[in-house]
Amino acid sequence: MADKKPRIVIVGAGFGGVKLAKLFAKDDVEVILVDRHNFHLFQPLLYQVSTAVLSTDEIAYPIRTFFRKNKNVEFFMAKAQGVDQERKVLLTNHGEIAYDYLILAAGATTNFFGMENVEKNSFGMKTLQEAIHIRNHVLHMFERANKHVDNEEERRRMLSFVVVGGGPTGIEEAGAISELIGIQKKEYHHLDFNEVSVSLIEATDNVLPMMAPNLRDHTVKVLERKGVNVMLNTQVVDYDGNTLKLKDGREIPTRTVIWAAGVKAVPFIANCGGEVDRAGRVIVNEKLQVNGSETVFAIGDCANFQHGTERPLPTVAPVATQQAQVAHDNIMKLIHGQQDLATFQYKDLGAMATIGRGEAVVNKTSMNPQLTGFIAWCAWMFVHLIRLAGAHTNLTVAIKWMWNLLSGTRLGRIITNIQL
């Protein structure tokens, strides 16, 4: 027993979880990586699957493939349900997993802010299944509208696409849908595309709050040029699957509402023995330890880190990957009996968002200038390509992006949920 290696259990195979496992794979420890799916998902490109630009295997990568040469890393496919800190075990739907050190890196899920009807009838954009569901649904709407030749009201409802949320996900989704419509227009010879509409709804007075004001204005202008109706200072209050109701009393007849208006921690985080905030994120100290525990850490979207900042750090990949490095270093210090743990300090690498083919915005930081248009799109493309997993994916995605830029072709417009 004295020779037993310390067991590190990591919950979540997102950006932070995979980086942690790669770091610990080089150490003399036992690593168990737990996730309910057997793949790592590149979430920033989900919108491209939902709008038929990319296929699923180009943004998802088998977890075990990362660690085929690392005998000390084991993948455990299960749904985490809670933590018993007293017994030092992770609770899952496939049994308990004992740990010496535990890192919660479970990511986030869609936040519908308590609106049950909206949650029931709209589409989230956080999982691969949701992206495929959106693609199937949007393509189905065109096919069904094409059959309703005598019912203009129903056609317009089917051909009205609403995206809620003016952050990067909402901006990217609205822009991509507008371009998808341009492709459909060439192939549906009898549909009146004056009946097709795309709306972007944002509750505040601006989109992309992390961007400079001129970049926000530029983004809105590009979206409007693409035919997107940008509705600021507009709040959603209800949606029954047919009519979207707004706080000011207006209604939008639509069969498609894509919800990109907020995130919250996955529910099981509340059962991990730590204090959580209103968004369900577990509160951590400056060393990334869950308050009240020396052996449980939390990073990324499921962690509330607010030390020296006005608000908790944003739920973006750079936060998770930078925290992964500090969490790894601090756990290795504890294993070696050291108590001088490092304090996490976030280095803001800036923000970027794509608005469509050849269009993007990049916020100015100490590391990069402010960019718009094609140059910004090239920068966005480069950053996302280098973060994808595997050379095969890098090559195929780069080719698809360039072909899409030149021709606009989207051969991924495949409806896959037909029941046999």
Side-chain angles (χ1 to χ4, degrees):
M1 292 297 292
D3 297 329
K4 183 180 177 182
K5 295 180 180 180
R7 175 181 283 185
I8 314 297
V9 176
I10 303 166
V11 183
F15 292 106
V18 167
K19 179 166 184 179
L20 267 169
K22 287 180 176 180
L23 291 169
F24 281 118
K26 303 172 185 178
D27 299 316
D28 189 25
V29 297
E30 176 189 0
V31 182
I32 299 179
L33 180 58
V34 181
D35 198 287
R36 63 184 301 185
H37 300 296
N38 77 327
F39 56 85
H40 164 74
L41 179 64
F42 194 83
Q43 283 190 338
L45 294 181
L46 273 175
Y47 82 95
Q48 293 204 2
V49 171
S50 74
T51 53
V53 178
L54 299 177
S55 56
T56 56
D57 62 321
E58 288 161 340
I59 70 165
Y61 193 78
I63 295 169
R64 289 185 181 274
T65 304
F66 283 119
F67 307 105
R68 57 173 50 172
K69 296 181 180 180
N70 304 113
K71 304 297 185 182
N72 64 329
V73 179
E74 178 61 28
F75 172 64
F76 191 89
M77 186 173 172
K79 182 179 180 180
Q81 297 177 323
V83 176
D84 187 333
Q85 290 194 24
E86 187 173 334
R87 294 192 298 126
K88 298 183 73 171
V89 294
L90 173 70
L91 311 175
T92 81
N93 63 332
H94 288 288
E96 299 179 350
I97 304 173
Y99 65 84
D100 293 306
Y101 295 93
L102 173 70
I103 307 102
L104 305 174
T109 188
T110 306
N111 190 352
F112 293 96
F113 303 101
M115 293 183 284
E116 294 181 3
N117 284 339
V118 174
E119 181 173 0
K120 179 181 178 182
N121 296 299
S122 65
F123 299 91
M125 263 283 287
K126 293 296 291 182
T127 69
L128 193 60
Q129 293 87 340
E130 288 174 333
I132 297 170
H133 195 24
I134 291 171
R135 185 190 69 195
N136 285 326
H137 172 81
V138 170
L139 296 174
H140 259 134
M141 287 299 97
F142 283 96
E143 294 295 342
R144 292 171 183 169
N146 197 47
K147 300 170 186 174
H148 283 70
V149 293
D150 299 322
N151 192 334
E152 179 183 346
E153 180 182 352
E154 187 59 22
R155 282 200 312 272
R156 288 184 178 274
R157 179 175 272 110
M158 289 180 174
L159 297 174
S160 173
F161 304 99
V162 180
V163 180
V164 182
T169 300
I171 295 295
E172 291 164 350
E173 182 73 12
I177 289 177
S178 70
E179 292 177 351
L180 176 62
I181 291 169
I183 302 298
Q184 303 288 75
K185 191 174 183 178
K186 300 175 183 178
E187 300 179 1
Y188 286 81
H189 307 303
H190 303 295
L191 270 182
D192 180 3
F193 276 78
N194 290 320
E195 297 177 351
V196 183
S197 66
V198 182
S199 299
L200 176 70
I201 295 177
E202 168 56 38
T204 66
D205 60 356
N206 57 66
V207 298
L208 300 176
M210 76 295 293
M211 296 283 186
N214 63 312
L215 295 181
R216 300 172 192 162
D217 295 339
H218 175 80
T219 299
V220 172
K221 289 177 182 177
V222 172
L223 286 174
E224 291 177 340
R225 193 165 67 239
K226 290 177 176 290
V228 178
N229 177 28
V230 180
M231 304 168 64
L232 302 177
N233 294 307
T234 304
Q235 294 185 39
V236 171
V237 294
D238 200 8
Y239 178 55
D240 62 2
N242 285 296
T243 303
L244 183 69
K245 296 182 179 180
L246 306 178
K247 189 175 182 179
D248 59 13
R250 287 180 293 170
E251 296 183 348
I252 302 176
T254 178
R255 294 282 296 275
T256 308
V257 174
I258 300 170
W259 193 265
V263 297
K264 63 181 180 180
V266 291
F268 103 92
I269 293 296
N271 302 321
C272 293
E275 181 185 358
V276 298
D277 65 9
R278 290 193 303 171
R281 293 177 294 181
V282 64
I283 296 174
V284 296
N285 63 21
E286 293 179 320
K287 318 298 182 184
L288 301 177
Q289 294 164 309
V290 171
N291 283 349
S293 175
E294 292 186 357
T295 58
V296 180
F297 291 70
I299 67 170
D301 295 357
C302 69
N304 176 319
F305 184 96
Q306 188 175 359
H307 301 279
T309 57
E310 184 178 344
R311 296 179 179 179
L313 292 178
T315 53
V316 293
V319 171
T321 54
Q322 290 179 36
Q323 288 180 334
Q325 182 68 62
V326 173
H328 164 267
D329 294 347
N330 282 345
I331 288 174
M332 291 308 298
K333 284 185 176 182
L334 290 172
I335 289 174
H336 294 125
Q338 303 172 22
Q339 297 299 319
D340 58 329
L341 303 187
T343 296
F344 176 71
Q345 293 182 328
Y346 177 53
K347 297 180 179 63
D348 188 358
L349 302 179
M352 55 176 57
T354 179
I355 320 169
R357 286 166 49 201
E359 282 284 356
V361 287
V362 177
N363 209 27
K364 181 179 180 180
T365 68
S366 58
M367 300 181 65
N368 55 260
Q370 187 180 98
L371 302 172
T372 61
F374 183 73
I375 296 177
W377 182 80
C378 290
W380 175 91
M381 182 176 67
F382 174 76
V383 167
H384 285 71
L385 276 177
I386 63 175
R387 290 179 178 173
L388 284 170
H392 166 76
T393 304
N394 295 145
L395 180 61
T396 56
V397 170
I399 291 172
K400 279 193 175 182
W401 280 349
M402 294 311 298
W403 186 246
N404 178 254
L405 176 69
L406 297 173
S407 68
T409 302
R410 297 191 185 195
L411 297 180
R413 290 171 291 134
I414 309 298
I415 298 174
T416 59
N417 63 344
I418 303 296
Q419 292 186 356
L420 298 179

